[in-house]
Amino acid sequence: MNIEHVTLSYDGSRNHLEDVSTAIPKGKITTIIGPNGSGKSTLLNVISRNHKVSSGLVTLEQKDILAFKPKEFARKLAIVYQHNTTPEELTVEKLVAFGRVPHQRFLKRQTIEDDEAIDWALSATNLLDKRDRSLTALSGGERQRVWIAMALAQRTSILCLDEPTTYLDIYYQLELLDLVKQLNLEHELTIVMVLHDMNQALRYSDHILMMKDGHIIAEGAPEEVVTVERVYDVYGVTSRVYQDEELGTVMMPVSR
């Protein structure tokens, strides 16, 4: 996927993205980081076709993403949002089954292929034993996994996640990010996600985009992007960035 000179303004008062260009590496985990208002989620929504750009172009398989029909694009890219609401009586399996809509014809019954995709998505997210449970009976981490399972059932090659660890305690944050890494390694999914926690981005990403004021100011390997100078420039925070034998690059905030 390529982003070429993308500019986006919601209201004409300012550019929320300005002349953004980058390429999303295939089969890798790309994480977008930056302070609030930097354009992280806006860029993710442009990639997933939820925002129409003011100028510029986003291409997938050398084709403008706006040229895809909705169902066709939904067979190529899935997104899991930060906030998700569902009817209380909905079960895990019924929600995951919605992921098959892009593959189904109007008023056609669920096929064997649909059943197999749902089972695979439940298995990949370790939810097979919870398929008949109501979503309200699950923990926050489990509910987030259900939404990821629904996205997986779409059988896309690209998965976008908008701040997937928000509202989760640290145990479920790590559980979720371990799942993301596993999906990337075992199923070669291209994953693009927005994270606030810089150390989680450092640990789980192959490629990082650092944003400020609607611009990408640095991108590349995590250890190359996150430096003391950039953390200060982007966040206004003095920090220490060092290499740990087990964890790799670590960022320790010191003072603002």
Side-chain angles (χ1 to χ4, degrees):
M1 175 174 277
N2 291 300
I3 296 107
E4 303 172 22
H5 303 290
V6 163
T7 294
L8 172 65
S9 175
Y10 296 131
D11 51 17
S13 62
R14 71 179 181 92
N15 289 334
H16 296 79
L17 296 176
E18 186 167 355
D19 197 26
V20 171
S21 294
T22 188
I24 304 299
K26 185 177 181 180
K28 303 295 183 181
I29 298 177
T30 295
T31 301
I32 309 171
I33 62 173
N36 290 336
S38 61
K40 302 184 302 296
S41 293
T42 301
L43 180 57
L44 194 73
N45 276 297
V46 165
I47 290 170
S48 57
R49 220 170 69 160
N50 289 311
H51 289 331
K52 188 175 181 180
V53 301
S54 305
S55 62
L57 183 67
V58 181
T59 59
L60 176 60
E61 300 172 359
Q62 300 180 332
K63 180 178 178 180
D64 185 343
I65 61 172
L66 298 178
F68 289 97
K69 294 180 180 179
K71 277 193 172 184
E72 181 186 11
F73 189 70
R75 294 194 293 268
K76 296 182 179 294
L77 183 147
I79 183 167
V80 178
Y81 297 99
Q82 180 181 353
H83 304 287
N84 303 288
T85 57
T86 55
E88 292 186 2
E89 69 277 6
L90 205 63
T91 65
V92 169
E93 183 172 1
K94 285 182 179 179
L95 179 60
V96 175
F98 282 115
R100 296 305 299 163
V101 170
H103 299 269
Q104 296 169 341
R105 294 182 179 180
F106 184 62
L107 296 180
K108 292 291 183 180
R109 300 181 66 179
Q110 192 166 297
T111 65
I112 293 176
E113 185 179 1
D114 293 330
D115 293 337
E116 290 174 347
I118 292 166
D119 286 343
W120 171 76
L122 290 169
S123 176
T125 51
N126 196 28
L127 290 168
L128 280 172
D129 61 337
K130 296 178 174 62
R131 66 191 307 157
D132 296 320
R133 290 195 187 181
S134 166
L135 291 173
T136 56
L138 304 181
S139 67
E142 288 170 335
R143 283 196 297 272
Q144 193 72 328
R145 277 194 282 140
V146 177
W147 285 99
I148 292 177
M150 185 183 75
L152 292 179
Q154 287 180 225
R155 287 290 199 177
T156 64
S157 59
I158 303 174
L159 174 62
C160 294
L161 304 168
D162 188 8
E163 299 186 30
T165 58
T166 300
Y167 308 126
L168 301 181
D169 65 34
I170 189 65
Y171 176 89
Y172 289 112
Q173 289 180 28
L174 294 176
E175 179 187 62
L176 187 67
L177 291 170
D178 284 340
L179 169 63
V180 168
K181 192 69 175 180
Q182 180 184 345
L183 291 170
N184 167 254
L185 293 175
E186 294 184 3
H187 304 289
E188 299 181 345
L189 273 177
T190 298
I191 294 173
V192 187
M193 60 181 175
V194 171
L195 289 179
H196 269 295
D197 189 306
M198 198 176 302
N199 283 309
Q200 290 179 351
L202 284 164
R203 179 176 177 180
Y204 288 95
S205 309
D206 302 303
H207 187 78
I208 284 182
L209 305 178
M210 181 179 280
M211 299 192 67
K212 179 184 179 182
D213 297 332
H215 298 268
I216 295 175
I217 66 161
E219 64 175 303
E223 65 274 10
E224 296 173 355
V225 171
V226 179
T227 65
V228 169
E229 294 77 15
R230 288 203 183 104
V231 171
Y232 184 80
D233 178 52
V234 172
Y235 293 91
V237 170
T238 301
S239 66
R240 294 177 184 172
V241 179
Y242 60 93
Q243 296 296 316
D244 180 272
E245 289 186 6
E246 182 179 354
L247 300 176
T249 305
V250 175
M251 190 281 293
M252 176 67 71
V254 177
S255 64
R256 59 186 178 86

